[in-house]
Amino acid sequence: MNGAESLVHTLLGSGVDVCFANPGTSEMHFVAALDRIPGMRCVLGLQENVVTGMADGYFRMARKPAATLLHCGPGLANGLSNIHNARRARSGMVNCVGDQATYHRPFDAPLTADTEGFARGVSAWTRTVRRADDVGRDAAVAVQAARTSPGQVATLILPSDTCWDEAAAGPAAALPVPAAPQADPMAIRNAARALRERKNVLILLGGLALTAEAQELAFRIAAHTGAALLGEGSNGRIERGRGCPQLERVPYPADVAIEALKPFTTIVLVNSRMPVGFFAYPGKPSLHCREDAEAVLLTRYDADPVQALTALAEALGAPKAAIPDPGPRPDIARGAPTPEGLARTLAALMPDDAVVADESVSFGRGFFRETHAAPRHDWLQITGGAIGCGVPLATGAAIGAGGRRVINLQADGSAMYTLQGLWTQAREKLPVTTVILSNRKYAILLGEYQGVGANPGRTAMDMMDLGNPDLDWVKIANGMGVEAAKTATLEGCGDLMKQSFAKDGPFLIELEI
């Protein structure tokens, strides 16, 4: 057994049975081992940032890590943006990165790079394998790290000779996964005291606290104490729709967020942190809460929020509370596209148990308010601000969600970063409906330009314009093997959504806005 075979056996034995791949020469023994050893689903991505984005989406839905297969330092570098997003979503993944053979590295061949240096900035755990005999052991530790709550990025760098050399030690057994930490009893008492004795309290939910079970407990506490309830601005996965609390998020625009958070003098943090702006703006604070707002920590990101919120509800004597009905499911909107109209159309038509992968950027900031009455669904957001996550996120989510319909609400400029993911959707026959919000501009940058106090001129406007020539998303999708159609009305979009939901494979709608 060589090192590559030891690697595959160890991954499978540790519960990793999906590999998103874009391999190169130094990984050929790994590829050969994947061919010989049954049990691993291998999914090809045509660019590494698609590969890492798919692994992120897969974890968010499957709640277990996949492996990625990346080619040397430059291949890893190509995938860094979506590894960054995965890290911010607290997704687990095991990056298997090929590298120069140990004895070849000193000669500084063209692909030689500081692969480990690239990996450290986006990984919770990084290791370079030294010998074939160590591959199994190191792979088992990588999976353990990736599965550690709430999910972590682990990067294993494999010089090519560690894969082709004999591995006498063979594969390693799966290592135990540490249990999620329990809330400190003192933290529960402090939170209970704040909620019992203070006014103007906000309970801020993030990460694992955005499951339906955790939200219901938080709503119970809020209803009993009079506290407000919000989610963080950017979240890996929120369970929502009919039967869930009508949870809104901290707004993205600085002025809107500052105004929304102004009433709260105490913020109880449940798997979240104090609300920080995406960017600094002249004359505006970095934290969008009041300067005198006190943070009361209930649980950190890695802790079990259900245990903590259950204990907090009991400490407060909070009875179960009925979730308010959000009202009737909305009708399909008509006319020219608006954010509210598109959200209502989505809520009117989405299938039960759908998954929404949202990279709508500025167009979609108000989507939550209009979709509370939709059927139960999961909503995945861009978490790290590195655009280009939506198409691969939806692709990986479709694999991780096991046949559920995935709806990708996708800004056109962001989609151009990783459009190769459409090809993987066609190859794998995945049930993904992509709605391209085609305004032919980087609309978010127009707002950011104003936010920093600058005035765009002709050169600046040209750098935010995606016209001249216009992108033709129907032809782009068709070239990737995906059926597509274009519309400029909400009723047209609704008709195309209904058609796409009846199909087994992917479909793209270009919505001109």
Side-chain angles (χ1 to χ4, degrees):
M1 179 181 294
N2 64 24
E5 292 165 334
S6 172
L7 173 63
V8 175
H9 281 298
T10 300
L11 291 173
L12 288 169
S14 299
V16 177
D17 55 10
V18 174
C19 180
F20 298 102
N22 187 270
T25 302
S26 57
E27 297 80 53
M28 286 298 100
H29 282 78
F30 188 10
V31 172
L34 290 167
D35 193 46
R36 289 193 295 269
I37 301 167
M40 186 73 74
R41 180 177 181 178
C42 300
V43 180
L44 178 62
L46 299 186
Q47 207 268 1
E48 292 89 347
N49 214 30
V50 173
V51 169
T52 55
M54 289 192 293
D56 181 14
Y58 175 84
F59 179 87
R60 296 197 203 186
M61 296 311 304
R63 300 308 302 171
K64 67 174 188 174
T68 70
L69 176 52
L70 305 170
H71 181 42
C72 292
L76 173 62
N78 280 342
L80 287 180
S81 290
N82 275 329
I83 301 176
H84 164 80
N85 284 328
R87 181 176 71 89
R88 289 296 186 179
R90 297 171 193 92
S91 294
M93 66 173 68
V94 179
N95 298 311
C96 299
V97 186
D99 208 357
Q100 300 287 1
T102 54
Y103 60 83
H104 193 61
R105 186 174 182 84
F107 293 94
D108 195 26
L111 269 174
T112 304
D114 184 6
T115 309
E116 196 167 306
F118 293 168
R120 283 198 192 102
V122 292
S123 306
W125 182 96
T126 304
R127 183 173 297 173
T128 300
V129 181
R130 303 300 176 190
R131 305 176 306 144
D133 269 353
D134 297 337
V135 170
R137 178 201 67 190
D138 291 347
V141 178
V143 177
Q144 182 186 50
R147 295 182 66 191
T148 297
S149 180
Q152 298 185 134
V153 175
T155 301
L156 185 66
I157 300 163
L158 297 137
S160 52
D161 53 329
T162 68
C163 287
W164 68 54
D165 283 350
E166 189 71 15
L175 295 173
V177 179
Q182 304 290 287
D184 187 295
M186 183 61 74
I188 294 169
R189 284 195 292 271
N190 288 341
R193 184 180 302 112
L195 285 158
R196 190 182 296 116
E197 298 176 359
R198 301 181 192 177
K199 297 180 179 179
N200 304 320
V201 179
L202 170 67
I203 301 172
L204 184 61
L205 307 179
L208 296 173
L210 292 166
T211 63
E213 184 179 11
Q215 288 183 59
E216 186 174 349
L217 285 163
F219 179 81
R220 171 181 164 187
I221 292 165
H224 180 68
T225 61
L229 194 61
L230 282 175
E232 287 192 303
S234 299
N235 302 283
R237 176 180 176 181
I238 305 178
E239 295 180 8
R240 58 189 309 273
R242 190 170 295 277
C244 290
Q246 295 162 43
L247 187 71
E248 291 292 336
R249 300 167 293 159
V250 174
Y252 173 91
D255 290 337
V256 180
I258 290 166
E259 187 64 26
L261 296 168
K262 187 185 295 183
F264 305 115
T265 55
T266 302
I267 302 179
V268 178
L269 302 174
V270 189
N271 295 70
S272 62
R273 63 172 179 166
M274 294 294 271
V276 62
F278 246 78
F279 300 103
Y281 297 98
K284 296 177 184 177
S286 292
L287 289 179
H288 289 167
C289 54
R290 296 164 53 132
E291 286 187 15
D292 61 347
E294 180 182 349
V296 176
L297 179 67
L298 180 67
T299 46
R300 300 184 187 278
Y301 293 131
D302 58 346
D304 178 355
V306 170
Q307 175 267 333
L309 289 166
T310 300
L312 180 58
E314 291 172 354
L316 290 164
K320 290 188 177 180
I323 305 295
D325 189 286
R329 193 169 178 175
D331 295 325
I332 299 169
R334 306 184 66 83
T338 63
E340 297 78 14
L342 178 58
R344 288 196 295 272
T345 300
L346 175 67
L349 294 175
M350 75 163 67
D352 292 347
D353 214 23
V355 179
V356 177
D358 180 7
E359 196 181 18
S360 54
V361 196
S362 55
F363 193 79
R365 288 175 184 162
F367 281 174
F368 270 31
R369 188 170 293 106
E370 304 291 340
T371 51
H372 291 306
R376 288 288 284 269
H377 60 278
D378 289 288
W379 199 288
L380 317 182
Q381 295 176 267
I382 179 172
T383 49
I387 62 173
C389 74
V391 173
L393 189 70
T395 308
I399 294 171
R404 294 164 60 182
R405 173 60 56 173
V406 178
I407 304 162
N408 177 201
L409 304 175
Q410 182 61 58
D412 54 353
S414 301
M416 286 299 294
Y417 281 54
T418 47
L419 55 84
Q420 303 94 325
L422 296 172
W423 180 88
T424 301
Q425 292 175 15
R427 181 185 176 101
E428 300 290 326
K429 299 179 174 60
L430 298 176
V432 179
T433 299
T434 302
V435 181
I436 295 288
L437 307 171
S438 182
N439 60 7
R440 299 186 177 89
K441 61 174 69 76
Y442 289 127
I444 189 171
L445 294 183
L446 296 173
E448 295 299 330
Y449 219 111
Q450 184 178 10
V452 297
N455 295 310
R458 175 61 186 271
T459 299
M461 292 297 291
D462 283 349
M463 287 190 287
M464 301 175 202
D465 177 24
L466 303 184
N468 190 30
D470 288 342
L471 300 169
D472 188 329
W473 279 99
V474 174
K475 290 181 179 178
I476 291 170
N478 290 164
M480 298 279 181
V482 174
E483 189 178 353
K486 182 185 298 187
T487 183
T489 66
L490 287 169
E491 60 267 33
C493 183
D495 288 343
L496 291 171
M497 279 186 180
K498 284 188 284 188
Q499 292 176 38
S500 74
F501 297 159
K503 297 178 180 293
D504 294 329
F507 191 91
L508 182 142
I509 302 164
E510 181 178 0
L511 178 61
E512 296 180 305
I513 60 175

